[in-house]
Amino acid sequence: MKLQTALFAAVLLSGCSQQPSTAENKGNGSPDGMQTAASETNQVDDGAATAEPQVAPASTTASATGTVKSIDLASGKIVIAHAPVDRLKWPAMTMGFKASPEQLTSVQPGQQVEFEFESRGMDATIARISPLK
Ligand SMILES: [Cu+2]
């Protein structure tokens, strides 16, 4: 009976916060920090969208290989000199990709990498990246 009371109290307490979406966030390290980082990322997205007309191209997933040129953890970007991407009709070029902190710390500048990314026009986000061996 005591255990049931405790569980019931816990449910009530967690219900008070009324923020079920927070529980879906990956990682429970510091919820406040995570939320701040997420909102900043959204603001960056808005800024990048103004660079192109308001056409929202469908996203396409593609893979490529390349060399890491630079990594910017603060802005969540990695610059890669990538080989041509046939699927997107992209020539070889050096460009920035959005990436998560985990992805950014899994590779190093100068490293050959293989990666998958999701592209909306020239707005590309890394889906998976690993050193090429
Ligand atoms: Cu490119």
Side-chain angles (χ1 to χ4, degrees), residues 5-121:
T5 306
L7 284 174
F8 186 60
V11 170
L12 281 180
L13 282 172
S14 62
C16 286
S17 67
Q18 289 194 344
Q19 285 182 328
S21 62
T22 306
E24 292 174 7
N25 285 339
K26 214 176 167 186
N28 295 324
S30 63
D32 290 342
M34 297 284 282
Q35 284 181 348
T36 302
S39 58
E40 280 172 1
T41 302
N42 287 341
Q43 285 171 7
V44 169
D45 286 350
D46 292 342
T50 60
E52 285 179 338
Q54 274 194 332
V55 179
S59 74
T60 306
T61 301
S63 60
T65 59
T67 303
V68 178
K69 301 307 259 183
S70 66
I71 294 171
D72 187 345
L73 264 175
S75 63
K77 280 215 159 186
I78 181 170
V79 175
I80 301 174
H82 68 74
V85 183
D86 290 344
R87 180 150 193 191
L88 297 170
K89 299 191 175 102
W90 282 3
M93 71 177 102
T94 299
M95 61 180 281
F97 294 82
K98 288 186 217 167
S100 72
E102 290 81 7
Q103 291 164 342
L104 293 174
T105 52
S106 70
V107 295
Q108 294 176 346
Q111 215 164 29
Q112 299 263 90
V113 295
E114 57 171 341
F115 58 100
E116 285 176 11
F117 62 98
E118 195 170 307
S119 163
R120 288 180 187 272

